[in-house]
Amino acid sequence: MTEERDMITLEFDEGKEVECEMMGLFDANGKEYIALIPDDGTDDVWIYAYKEIGEEGLWKNLGHFIEEIIPVAAECDVNMAIHPDDPPWGMFGLPRIITCAENVRRFLNIVPETNNGITLCTGSWGASPDNDLIAMAAEFADRIHFVHLRNIKITGERRFEEVGHPSCCGSIDMYGIAKALVDNGFDGYVRPDHGRMIWDEVAMPGYGLYDRALGAVYLSGLWEAIKKTLEK
């Protein structure tokens, strides 16, 4: 049985990208490092140290970025939609900030304009049982510009796996989220997002075509049923 490897893609300033296997974290002289093996045919091992930035440092950088781009986006009639941190907790010694409703409110208030919006990714925020996805869909509907509507199954503390899209397959109430969006006037774009490898398909991991097609059909039926129910 082949052990699944954790991979990361490094992108360099000159545009070069290198796939690396993550070997793990280790401490040395009070600092945290990550060891990577590049998938480039060499026997090299790369060691990287994370810069200490903290949550407030991330908020400062994000705020500067948003304050610069949103006025331009508004001039061009473009809606920006930040994607949640996936998963919604710190990793490798680095904090994450787009993780919960409280932080979404803080983000949207950086530039309180419609063009400054979010992507509602149910698989990302749904990995934390502390996130009430139905309440978030209702509260932020007018600032949600894109929805990644997929299901996951929580298997333990900070542990989950991707499953089929229907609510019965996992831990997320897909119907409840879709209804909250429709009830609160959302009329943006929705996609099934990820897909499992089924029926002997060979494709990019996480993006199986067959499973995404099943998800798209399921979501279309869910949407139609909700809208027709409301019309009665």
Side-chain angles (χ1 to χ4, degrees), residues 66-67 70 105-116 143:
I66 292 299
E67 287 167 353
I70 294 302
R105 294 184 196 104
R106 178 173 176 177
F107 168 75
L108 294 177
N109 285 330
I110 293 174
V111 179
E113 303 290 343
T114 300
N115 303 86
N116 180 33
R143 301 285 289 276

Side-chain angles (χ1 to χ4, degrees), residues 31-135:
K31 293 192 68 176
E32 195 170 50
Y33 296 83
I34 184 172
L36 305 173
I37 297 179
D39 188 15
D40 61 358
T42 69
D43 295 325
D44 293 344
V45 176
W46 295 350
I47 306 295
Y48 283 88
Y50 288 112
K51 294 181 180 179
E52 295 181 5
I53 184 171
E55 286 192 17
E56 289 306 315
L58 288 177
W59 279 113
K60 181 179 178 180
N61 290 346
L62 180 59
H64 176 72
F65 175 70
I66 292 299
E67 287 167 353
E68 290 292 323
I69 68 166
I70 294 302
V72 179
E75 289 179 7
C76 300
D77 194 27
V78 171
N79 288 328
M80 305 300 293
I82 195 168
H83 192 283
D85 284 310
D86 186 5
W89 52 74
M91 294 184 68
F92 303 122
L94 285 177
R96 291 182 162 189
I97 55 177
I98 308 300
T99 57
C100 60
E102 179 182 357
N103 287 6
V104 171
R105 294 184 196 104
R106 178 173 176 177
F107 168 75
L108 294 177
N109 285 330
I110 293 174
V111 179
E113 303 290 343
T114 300
N115 303 86
N116 180 33
I118 62 174
T119 295
L120 176 64
C121 180
T122 57
S124 299
W125 277 323
S128 171
D130 294 332
N131 286 329
D132 186 336
L133 297 179
I134 296 175

Side-chain angles (χ1 to χ4, degrees), residues 175 179 224-232:
Y175 167 82
K179 187 174 187 303
E224 180 179 358
I226 292 169
K227 286 194 170 184
K228 287 192 173 182
T229 300
L230 294 176
E231 291 171 359
K232 291 182 178 180

Side-chain angles (χ1 to χ4, degrees), residues 10-18 48 51:
L10 297 184
E11 183 173 342
F12 297 90
D13 291 340
E14 66 272 18
K16 178 183 177 182
E17 292 185 353
V18 178
Y48 283 88
K51 294 181 180 179

